[in-house]
């Protein structure tokens, strides 16, 4: 039995309900392009909304982080990873959480106690030392010298304000060296394997801290890192998660892993992430914006490293690797099997597109760098515009030659793409429990009306393909094979406003997923929902499976205006709208 199954079975035995993994592309969260942590899809419930599965939950969640994409190629970094999590929503707290983590690690994973150490919150001017967590670890047999007290690393808050609290991190001694008596969190031989966050307080705008009436527990354990630890390998890519993928890449290329580790790790990681992004129900395709840009960058980087290994990039090498990954994960994620052919098509089409210009682009790059001079912005932009080289690829190639690229100059030439996902890769999006304020709630409700209106005006075949909400506007992607006419836009806008002015009641009901489908409720990602779901009804005009939040009556929304309608990807249109 693998780690995911062991974990889920353990927490089911502690009266937890397993919830499905959310898609990698989050709904209505403008802070990130992808779900970056197991807790992210549970934000409404951590903020107080009742979860249909109750107060004890567990899952394995698909996550993608691209802020350190350039680090992929070493022994630990991945763009896609799986996070194990268990949650208490106002139910158990520190005692049970710590005890069960310890029990799972020592009795079910058979990790020796002497190879474990922990950190606890040391306390500050506002919040005292976490004596309860400290005492619990002592009672379980963790010696005092293996418990480190820190402030910054052991206090969790999503943004500037909101739910917050201490956390306790569990470390494993990942080395054949003699285990030090005293635990030093700065010693790299100790690696974090589990984090238990205790949402105990609330911080307001003035910085005041108050106890929360209902306290939550949120824990996270990385599958890749823990698997490598359990199997006694220091290189994650030598664990059972990756070993067969690496062996296949070695077989295809005809060269050994030992001499080509960086390129093989990049190919393995990037193809796996591309499989999950392109299989996601959001229908992401390679493009020059947002998630599509990340997908394009991953595939093209994998192609370049395949070429480095001497692989015939015109062969079906990428499909062979993707097929192995699909087979490894399809029993856990239904969308991987359902969209298998979509995955291969996305990879093949992007490969063909990039291969057409890659050879010419590499020749051009060699030409413009033959004097070993740094690249100006104009040259970098020409490599992008003419040869399809993302700026990151140009920077990476230049770095290998010890050269620099004028990225600021490139960006001046590239102003129309300033909001590209590279901003997200640089980690400039704030994630967490922010973004569900009053105006965001209004926009969230408005997307339901817009969806219903498009079904009336354009046709019943219209379905939501994605949305993105900020405090300034809504962005709504929907399936449609044509550009909306001015008349269609005007009718859609008028219908939404008619429903707003009608003062329709917004009500919510819990029911089984099967019942919801029978009612005809609209659902964007049916696979992500548990067996018991929440359905939001807006008068008689809209019914959708949704996690919320929503206003109580449409009269609260104001006036809706369509600002722009444009193509998003093949067969998908995008509306940007505002409430005034």
């Amino acid at each position: 039995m693998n780690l995911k199954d062991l974990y889920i079975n353990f927490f089911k035995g502690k009266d937890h309900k397993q919830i499905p993994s959310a898609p990698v592309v989050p709904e209505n969260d403008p802070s990130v392009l992808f779900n970056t942590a197991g807790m992210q899809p549970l934000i409404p419930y951590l903020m107080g909304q009742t979860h249909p599965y109750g107060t004890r939950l567990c899952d394995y969640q698909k996550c993608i982080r691209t802020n350190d994409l350039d680090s992929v190629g070493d022994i630990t970094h991945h763009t896609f990873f799986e996070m194990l999590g268990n949650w208490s929503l106002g139910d158990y707290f520190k005692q049970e959480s710590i005890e069960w983590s310890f029990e799972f690690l020592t009795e079910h994973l058979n990790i020796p106690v002497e190879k474990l150490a922990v950190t606890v919150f040391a306390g500050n001017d506002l919040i005292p030392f976490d004596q309860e967590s400290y005492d619990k670890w002592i009672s379980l047999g963790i010696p005092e010298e293996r418990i480190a007290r820190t402030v910054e690393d052991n206090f969790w808050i999503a943004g500037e304000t909101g739910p917050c609290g201490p956390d306790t991190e569990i470390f494993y001694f990942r080395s054949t060296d003699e285990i030090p008596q005293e635990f030093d969190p700065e010693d790299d031989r100790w690696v974090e394997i589990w984090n238990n966050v205790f949402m105990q307080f609330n911080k307001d705008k003035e910085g005041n801290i108050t106890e929360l009436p209902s306290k939550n527990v949120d824990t996270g354990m990385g599958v890749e890192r823990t698997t490598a630890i359990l199997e006694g390998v220091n290189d994650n890519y030598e664990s059972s998660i990756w070993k067969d993928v690496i062996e296949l890449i070695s077989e295809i290329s005809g060269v050994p892993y030992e001499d080509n580790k960086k390129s093989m790790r990049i190919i393995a990681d990037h193809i796996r992430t591309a499989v999950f992004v392109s299989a996601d129900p959001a229908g992401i395709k390679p493009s020059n914006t947002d998630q599509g840009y990340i997908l394009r960058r991953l595939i093209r980087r994998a192609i370049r490293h395949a070429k480095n290994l001497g692989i015939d990039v015109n062969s079906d090498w990428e499909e062979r690797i993707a097929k192995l990954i699909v087979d490894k994960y399809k029993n856990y994620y239904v969308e991987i099997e359902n969209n298998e052919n979509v995955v291969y098509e996305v990879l093949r089409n992007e490969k063909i597109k990039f291969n057409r210009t890659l050879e010419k682009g590499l020749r051009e790059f060699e030409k413009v760098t033959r004097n070993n001079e740094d690249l100006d912005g104009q040259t970098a932009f020409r490599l992008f515009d003419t040869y399809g080289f993302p700026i990151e690829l140009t920077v990476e190639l230049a770095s290998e030659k010890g050269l620099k690229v004028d990225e600021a100059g490139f960006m001046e030439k590239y102003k129309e793409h300033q909001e590209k996902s590279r901003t997200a890769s640089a980690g400039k999006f704030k994630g967490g429990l922010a973004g569900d304020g009053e105006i965001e709630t209004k926009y969230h409700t408005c997307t339901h009306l817009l969806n219903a209106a498009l079904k009336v005006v354009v046709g019943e075949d219209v379905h939501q393909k994605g949305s993105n909400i900020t405090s300034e506007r809504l962005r709504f992607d929907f399936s449609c094979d044509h550009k909306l006419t001015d008349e269609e836009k005007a009718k859609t806008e008028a219908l939404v406003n008619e429903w707003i002015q009608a003062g329709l009641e917004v009500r919510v009901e819990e029911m089984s997923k099967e019942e919801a489908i029978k009612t005809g409720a609209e659902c964007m990602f049916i696979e992500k929902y548990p067996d018991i779901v929440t359905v939001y009804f807006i008068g008689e005009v809209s019914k959708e499976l949704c996690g919320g939040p929503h206003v109580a009556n449409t009269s609260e929304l104001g006036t809706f205006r369509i600002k722009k309608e444009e193509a998003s990807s093949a067969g998908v249109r995008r509306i940007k709208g505002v409430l005034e």
Side-chain angles (χ1 to χ4, degrees):
M1 191 178 288
N2 74 18
L3 179 60
K4 290 200 289 281
D5 298 322
L6 282 170
Y7 184 89
I8 296 298
N9 288 344
F10 175 80
F11 279 100
K12 279 183 175 179
K14 305 294 185 186
D15 298 323
H16 288 62
K17 295 286 179 64
Q18 182 184 0
I19 57 175
S21 173
V24 292
V25 178
E27 279 188 283
N28 301 315
D29 185 352
S31 63
V32 287
L33 292 177
F34 299 103
N35 275 319
T36 59
M39 60 80 71
Q40 205 172 324
L42 286 167
I43 287 171
Y45 309 105
L46 293 167
M47 295 294 284
Q49 186 175 320
T50 302
H51 196 285
Y53 267 30
T55 58
R56 296 186 179 191
L57 311 172
C58 63
D59 76 352
Y60 40 82
Q61 170 63 40
K62 309 184 295 279
C63 302
I64 292 178
R65 292 181 188 169
T66 57
N67 56 313
D68 53 6
L69 192 154
D70 292 326
S71 298
V72 173
D74 63 15
I75 64 173
T76 59
H77 281 90
H78 312 293
T79 50
F80 170 89
F81 60 97
E82 294 176 285
M83 185 66 77
L84 299 168
N86 63 282
W87 292 269
S88 164
L89 305 176
D91 191 332
Y92 62 83
F93 204 46
K94 295 179 184 178
Q95 295 288 327
E96 297 91 337
S97 178
I98 291 172
E99 185 171 323
W100 292 339
S101 293
F102 182 78
E103 180 186 342
F104 182 70
L105 290 172
T106 59
E107 296 182 23
H108 293 261
L109 300 187
N110 299 314
I111 293 176
V113 179
E114 58 269 22
K115 297 207 88 172
L116 295 176
V118 299
T119 57
V120 296
F121 182 59
N124 57 25
D125 294 342
L126 296 172
I127 298 172
F129 164 58
D130 189 1
Q131 187 74 49
E132 185 179 357
S133 293
Y134 179 88
D135 290 345
K136 185 64 182 177
W137 284 120
I138 291 286
S139 75
L140 290 170
I142 302 292
E144 185 178 349
E145 58 270 22
R146 290 281 174 82
I147 305 176
R149 308 181 188 199
T150 77
V151 177
E152 288 184 11
D153 291 339
N154 283 104
F155 188 80
W156 180 91
I157 186 166
E160 300 299 318
T161 62
C164 57
D167 66 64
T168 181
E169 296 178 335
I170 308 170
F171 290 76
Y172 173 87
F173 190 69
R174 189 177 182 174
S175 172
T176 55
D177 297 345
E178 184 179 345
I179 306 172
Q181 284 296 111
E182 192 160 334
F183 167 48
D184 176 8
E186 299 301 314
D187 183 341
D188 289 340
R189 294 174 299 176
W190 290 99
V191 294
E192 181 202 337
I193 56 171
W194 206 337
N195 188 13
N196 295 33
V197 176
F198 305 121
M199 297 181 190
Q200 188 172 358
F201 304 101
N202 186 69
K203 181 181 179 183
D204 65 21
K205 291 178 182 175
E206 285 71 46
N208 299 312
I209 300 283
T210 53
E211 286 257 352
L212 286 169
S214 179
K215 300 174 176 63
N216 301 322
V217 173
D218 160 39
T219 85
M221 173 194 277
V223 170
E224 285 77 10
R225 179 182 292 182
T226 307
T227 299
I229 284 170
L230 293 173
E231 294 178 358
V233 294
N234 286 327
D235 178 348
N236 283 7
Y237 291 89
E238 291 181 351
S239 78
S240 58
I241 291 175
W242 295 103
K243 199 171 173 98
D244 52 354
V245 180
I246 294 293
E247 285 173 355
L248 178 58
I249 296 170
S250 182
E251 177 191 322
I252 292 170
S253 63
V255 296
Y257 175 60
E258 290 68 29
D259 303 328
N260 303 276
K261 290 182 176 179
K262 181 177 180 180
S263 285
M264 288 194 183
R265 290 169 183 158
I266 287 171
I267 293 167
D269 173 88
H270 288 10
I271 294 293
R272 183 175 74 159
T273 306
V275 166
F276 275 90
V277 174
S278 52
D280 197 78
I284 303 299
K285 298 289 190 292
S287 69
N288 283 335
T289 57
D290 300 332
Q291 293 96 342
Y293 185 68
I294 295 291
L295 180 57
R296 168 161 285 168
R297 185 179 169 194
L298 289 167
I299 297 171
R300 292 189 170 192
R301 196 165 185 239
I303 293 169
R304 192 175 79 79
H305 282 275
K307 190 171 176 57
N308 284 355
L309 295 180
I311 292 172
D312 176 5
V313 291
N314 293 306
S315 69
D316 66 348
W317 64 277
E318 83 292 344
E319 185 168 328
R320 290 176 64 188
I321 298 167
K323 177 75 168 66
L324 177 56
I325 290 165
V326 166
D327 289 343
K328 284 169 73 75
Y329 289 96
K330 66 185 180 184
N331 291 335
Y332 292 95
Y333 304 107
V334 65
E335 70 276 12
I336 295 292
E337 185 166 31
N338 291 346
N339 296 320
E340 181 174 357
N341 290 329
V342 173
V343 168
Y344 304 146
E345 183 182 2
V346 164
L347 289 168
R348 183 167 56 252
N349 289 347
E350 186 61 19
K351 176 187 71 174
I352 291 168
K353 193 175 289 186
F354 190 41
N355 282 351
R356 284 179 190 147
T357 57
L358 181 60
E359 288 288 349
K360 291 178 183 175
L362 289 172
R363 281 200 299 271
E364 181 65 17
F365 178 83
E366 291 300 323
K367 182 177 165 186
V368 298
T369 57
R370 62 176 172 240
N371 294 324
N372 286 323
E373 294 178 357
D374 293 341
L375 292 177
D376 58 35
Q378 175 68 44
T379 304
F381 182 77
R382 183 159 55 84
L383 284 167
F384 167 81
D385 192 41
T386 307
Y387 301 101
F389 274 31
I391 182 64
E392 297 85 3
L393 175 54
T394 302
V395 169
E396 188 175 345
L397 288 167
S399 175
E400 290 171 5
K401 283 177 165 270
L403 305 177
K404 293 179 180 176
V405 178
D406 178 8
E407 293 183 65
F410 171 86
M411 291 309 289
E412 283 178 26
K413 300 287 181 184
Y414 193 47
K415 281 180 181 176
E416 67 270 26
H417 296 305
Q418 280 186 330
E419 297 304 319
K420 296 242 182 314
S421 57
R422 188 172 188 277
T423 312
S425 298
K428 294 177 184 173
F429 286 85
K430 283 188 178 180
L433 299 175
D436 273 337
E438 183 182 350
I439 185 63
E440 288 91 348
T441 300
K442 290 180 179 180
Y443 275 123
H444 196 146
T445 308
C446 193
T447 62
H448 288 230
L449 295 178
L450 177 55
N451 195 15
L454 288 166
K455 285 180 175 297
V456 173
V457 175
V458 181
E460 282 295 322
D461 289 339
V462 166
H463 295 286
Q464 179 178 349
K465 301 300 287 184
S467 66
N468 180 279
I469 289 169
T470 70
S471 57
E472 284 81 36
R473 54 94 182 123
L474 67 79
R475 197 179 74 197
F476 185 83
D477 291 355
F478 58 99
S479 54
C480 183
D481 61 2
H482 67 276
K483 179 180 180 180
L484 296 194
T485 64
D486 290 342
E487 183 183 10
E488 285 174 321
K489 285 186 283 187
K491 281 184 177 178
T492 300
E493 188 180 277
L495 193 51
V496 171
N497 285 313
E498 180 185 320
W499 291 333
I500 290 173
Q501 289 157 18
L504 302 175
E505 180 193 4
V506 180
R507 61 188 177 86
V508 61
E509 287 184 22
E510 284 189 7
M511 60 185 72
S512 71
K513 188 154 58 176
E514 289 72 23
E515 284 180 86
I517 293 167
K518 283 178 187 173
T519 69
E522 178 80 359
C523 177
M524 184 175 157
F525 299 133
I526 193 67
E527 297 90 353
K528 83 163 194 177
Y529 289 94
D531 293 336
I532 303 298
V533 297
T534 51
V535 180
Y536 281 85
F537 295 84
I538 304 180
E540 298 298 320
V541 304
S542 169
K543 46 192 170 188
E544 286 194 34
L545 277 73
C546 190
H550 299 279
V551 300
N553 191 287
T554 59
S555 60
E556 300 173 40
L557 298 181
T559 303
F560 175 65
R561 296 280 178 256
I562 292 177
K563 291 301 220 181
K564 193 174 186 180
E565 191 272 342
E566 60 189 353
S568 171
S569 60
V572 179
R573 304 294 298 178
R574 171 172 291 171
I575 282 176
K576 292 179 182 175
V578 297
L579 289 168
E580 298 171 345

